[in-house]
Amino acid sequence: MFRSNNIVARVFQRQIYTPAPGTSVHCARRFYENLVPSCTIYDVECPDHLFRKFTDDGQYLISFSRNHQDLIVYRPTWLSFSCKEEDCDAHDLPPKSKRFESFFTQLYCVPLASCNEQICKDFFLYMESNQYGIFATSTPVTEAPASEGAIQGVPFIEKMTFHLLRLGDGVILDEKVFNNDFVNLTHNVGVFLYDDLLAIVSLRNQAIHILQIRDSGNLVDVRAIGAFCHEDDELFLNSNAQCMALPDKSKLPQLPENHAQNGLHHSQPNLEDSFLSGIKQRLLSFIFRGIWDEENDPSLRVQGLKKKFYFHFQDYVNLIIWKVQFLDRHHLLIKFGSVEGVVSRNADHHLAFFAVYNMETTEIVAFYQNSAEDLYLLFEQFSDHFHAASRNSLYMNFISSPSNNIHALEQLRCIKNKANVSSQFVKKMLSSLPFSCQTQSPSPYFDLSLFRFDEKLISATDRHRQSTDHPIKFILRRQPYSLKFKIKSGPEAGSSDGRAKKIALFLFHPFLPLALSIQQTLFLQPSVVNIHFRR
């Protein structure tokens, strides 16, 4: 549609041309090729906070205090100043404009953590429809022996609290507390938000807690998937155990009283020792039926079960839930693996499996190994379905992926062609599944159909990266392939101490030409904050 790179010509063309059906939003986003950050204020005077991210609708900037006790929320504003000269662009900005308060207005500061708890600085989820924020505080992580059916080897947190907060005024609406448990909150790994449903993965107790966020601001328990699947499973098993434990006394031999005191009456069945968890039962049943249906001949069927099921039976039994995400309101994508893979930093090298679970029917509907080619093809062709953005989100639907962007697909296939071993490549690609919730920026400057940049230095994924003294270039994807703007994380003149290891964090506004680049060192020195905006 647009042939000219002049924004005035583009506005005129928009008035006289009609875009093709279904492409109006993408054509409008091409205006960002002209609306880019053109000015940078280096080393801004700003509070020494831990800046987390912009909310997905751009209304709030979330930050935490250095002592991990307080939540500080800002409202992004735009720099405004007057200039009496004819050519304002040729003059420097006034000194007042180089402060953090010129771009952001503090709304409130709320103490979240109490007693010996601290705010989990890497965790934050945003419910755009109601403008609710979900935060977490916890006591320090320790090592403790497993008890009451907990998984051995998984870390231990004495108390973990999830706070539902209304971001408009900072009022805490509800809280959910987990005691003696462990939820991996780094980059939202253990929690997934879809519409008004919240899934929390308890690694230590192997349960998926499904909560609903009501419009009134209440966190309501919907179900817990793990030991039981149906809501009445526990009631049925307990009633059945009571019937087995209370036989007809007239038919039993009379035992001396001292024998009962020695513990002989403890012969009633122990449910924890007698049964696998409900989700594990569903998984084993699905694997068994799949192998059973592969062969029609009874002898071949038995041989197949011996080789593929009974030989690996204990391996399947030892699988634990690693991670989970919503595919829609009824289906979960669950990642299973070994206990060693949960606590290992190189979890990609461990064997893992993916299962699609229907919460309504409590059935496993699909099961894949992490090197399955057919799952990779689904990931490549329908990756947007794995992101599972909430229907109320206005901006998260435009994140570039191999299924909606030809440039992202070309990058993925280029990596695939360079891979020496196909199975290793598939494992590497599928290691990102299930996707972590709200960890990608919807900023149009990460749209691969508009700009080209070095994804080793910066990307839409919310991660700290190794800082560099060289600016990161954003180059126009279309002709004339010109440099549109640059982002530099450190001081303008570069760092004086090249030996200190530095990391960088980039926070892009969802739709405004505004970004923060934050450079930190590992020695808890004050961060260097730069503001990039369009002047």
Side-chain angles (χ1 to χ4, degrees):
M1 176 182 175
F2 296 128
R3 299 295 181 183
S4 173
N5 287 316
N6 184 282
I7 192 170
V8 177
R10 287 189 166 189
V11 173
F12 179 72
Q13 287 178 337
R14 186 178 64 176
Q15 294 177 340
I16 61 177
Y17 289 107
T18 301
T23 64
S24 58
V25 175
H26 296 283
C27 291
R29 283 171 64 87
R30 289 184 181 175
F31 277 88
Y32 283 101
E33 294 176 344
N34 294 83
L35 301 174
V36 299
S38 59
C39 182
T40 299
I41 301 178
Y42 291 94
D43 202 0
V44 178
E45 300 177 18
C46 70
D48 189 19
H49 295 331
L50 300 171
F51 294 101
R52 179 65 182 90
K53 66 176 295 185
F54 288 99
T55 55
D56 295 337
D57 59 2
Q59 297 296 316
Y60 308 98
L61 173 64
I62 307 300
S63 65
F64 306 117
S65 61
R66 279 286 179 181
N67 60 0
H68 301 87
Q69 297 293 312
D70 302 324
L71 164 70
I72 305 100
V73 176
Y74 293 91
R75 175 69 58 107
T77 56
W78 200 253
L79 178 65
S80 61
F81 63 95
S82 60
C83 180
K84 299 180 181 180
E85 305 294 334
E86 294 183 359
D87 188 6
C88 295
D89 292 336
H91 295 272
D92 293 335
L93 295 173
K96 185 178 180 181
S97 66
K98 298 183 179 181
R99 298 176 183 175
F100 184 82
E101 292 77 13
S102 300
F103 293 86
F104 300 95
T105 302
Q106 180 175 327
L107 297 182
Y108 50 82
C109 176
V110 176
L112 276 185
S114 60
C115 299
N116 59 338
E117 287 186 290
Q118 287 189 341
I119 296 175
C120 303
K121 63 182 181 66
D122 292 329
F123 174 81
F124 167 67
L125 291 176
Y126 181 57
M127 189 176 180
E128 186 174 335
S129 58
N130 293 333
Q131 294 190 347
Y132 291 161
I134 304 172
F135 302 89
T137 58
S138 69
T139 56
V141 179
T142 59
E143 297 292 337
S147 60
E148 299 180 0
I151 300 299
Q152 184 69 38
V154 176
F156 172 85
I157 296 179
E158 183 179 354
K159 182 183 179 183
M160 179 177 294
T161 308
F162 291 91
H163 307 265
L164 181 66
L165 184 138
R166 187 168 55 219
L167 291 180
D169 52 12
V171 175
I172 299 177
L173 302 175
D174 202 355
E175 295 179 347
K176 177 69 175 179
V177 179
F178 290 85
N179 293 315
N180 304 328
D181 208 335
F182 181 79
V183 179
N184 187 1
L185 297 181
T186 304
H187 304 297
N188 306 339
V189 167
V191 184
F192 199 95
L193 175 65
Y194 181 79
D195 289 339
D196 59 343
L197 296 178
L198 191 69
I200 302 176
V201 180
S202 166
L203 288 177
R204 188 172 177 85
N205 296 317
Q206 283 298 284
I208 304 171
H209 300 273
I210 306 297
L211 284 71
Q212 185 179 26
I213 304 174
R214 299 288 178 85
D215 292 339
S216 58
N218 299 110
L219 290 171
V220 180
D221 290 310
V222 177
R223 58 168 57 90
I225 304 168
F228 309 104
C229 295
H230 284 292
E231 296 178 356
D232 59 347
D233 282 352
E234 185 176 9
L235 176 63
F236 174 79
L237 291 176
N238 288 337
S239 61
N240 185 58
Q242 291 176 2
C243 294
M244 295 176 63
L246 298 174
D248 189 354
K249 295 183 179 180
S250 62
K251 298 181 181 180
L252 290 177
Q254 297 297 322
L255 296 176
E257 184 178 355
N258 60 342
H259 283 189
Q261 293 177 354
N262 290 335
L264 295 180
H265 65 287
H266 287 196
S267 60
Q268 67 185 66
N270 186 350
L271 291 181
E272 292 185 0
D273 297 335
S274 303
F275 296 99
L276 295 172
S277 65
I279 188 69
K280 195 68 64 66
Q281 291 274 8
R282 300 293 195 276
L283 181 62
L284 291 172
S285 300
F286 181 85
I287 298 172
F288 181 91
R289 290 197 305 268
I291 299 173
W292 180 276
D293 295 337
E294 287 180 357
E295 296 289 347
N296 294 324
D297 183 82
S299 61
L300 294 178
R301 179 178 290 168
V302 171
Q303 293 179 8
L305 287 172
K306 288 181 179 180
K307 294 179 180 178
K308 299 180 181 179
F309 183 75
Y310 294 113
F311 183 78
H312 299 285
F313 179 80
Q314 193 59 45
D315 296 329
Y316 292 137
V317 169
N318 294 336
L319 292 177
I320 67 171
I321 299 172
W322 280 5
K323 194 177 177 183
V324 69
Q325 75 163 91
F326 283 101
L327 294 176
D328 54 37
R329 293 188 66 87
H330 305 293
H331 293 87
L332 297 174
L333 177 63
I334 306 175
K335 188 174 186 178
F336 291 89
S338 63
V339 179
E340 295 78 12
V342 169
V343 298
S344 173
R345 293 186 177 181
N346 296 322
D348 300 345
H349 299 288
H350 292 267
L351 185 63
F353 298 90
F354 299 95
V356 179
Y357 177 77
N358 189 319
M359 293 191 296
E360 303 301 323
T361 63
T362 71
E363 294 178 350
I364 301 288
V365 297
F367 184 69
Y368 303 94
Q369 192 171 327
N370 63 340
S371 58
E373 289 281 351
D374 48 352
L375 179 60
Y376 168 75
L377 293 177
L378 293 175
F379 168 77
E380 181 181 295
Q381 299 172 10
F382 306 100
S383 55
D384 285 346
H385 293 269
F386 290 95
H387 282 287
S390 300
R391 62 174 179 264
N392 296 316
S393 178
L394 301 177
Y395 305 100
M396 300 302 291
N397 296 323
F398 302 104
I399 295 176
S400 298
S401 70
S403 61
N404 65 25
N405 190 286
I406 185 62
H407 304 288
L409 181 60
E410 288 179 355
Q411 289 182 2
L412 183 63
R413 291 181 174 175
C414 181
I415 298 174
K416 183 178 181 180
N417 294 332
K418 293 180 180 179
N420 296 325
V421 183
S422 176
S423 61
Q424 295 297 327
F425 167 78
V426 171
K427 284 184 179 181
K428 182 179 180 180
M429 292 297 105
L430 296 183
S431 63
S432 59
L433 294 179
F435 283 122
S436 297
C437 186
Q438 297 183 11
T439 57
Q440 289 193 300
S441 171
S443 171
Y445 303 110
F446 293 121
D447 190 336
L448 295 179
S449 62
L450 301 179
F451 299 99
R452 179 166 52 90
F453 47 86
D454 189 350
E455 294 202 38
K456 296 179 180 179
L457 301 177
I458 191 172
S459 72
T461 305
D462 178 19
R463 291 289 188 275
H464 287 85
R465 299 180 181 273
Q466 185 174 355
S467 180
T468 175
D469 291 334
H470 304 287
I472 302 171
K473 300 178 181 179
F474 285 75
I475 300 173
L476 196 64
R477 177 68 70 174
R478 302 186 304 126
Q479 290 184 353
Y481 311 113
S482 58
L483 173 66
K484 298 303 296 184
F485 69 100
K486 296 183 291 185
I487 293 287
K488 189 174 184 296
S489 59
E492 183 175 10
S495 176
S496 59
D497 186 7
R499 296 171 298 177
K501 188 175 182 180
K502 300 177 290 292
I503 56 176
L505 176 66
F506 301 93
L507 305 180
F508 277 72
H509 195 275
F511 55 87
L512 294 177
L514 174 67
L516 294 179
S517 61
I518 305 164
Q519 186 185 74
Q520 301 170 339
T521 63
L522 301 181
F523 303 104
L524 300 179
Q525 297 177 356
S527 303
V528 177
V529 180
N530 302 331
I531 297 181
H532 313 270
F533 67 104
R534 179 174 177 80
R535 181 173 173 176

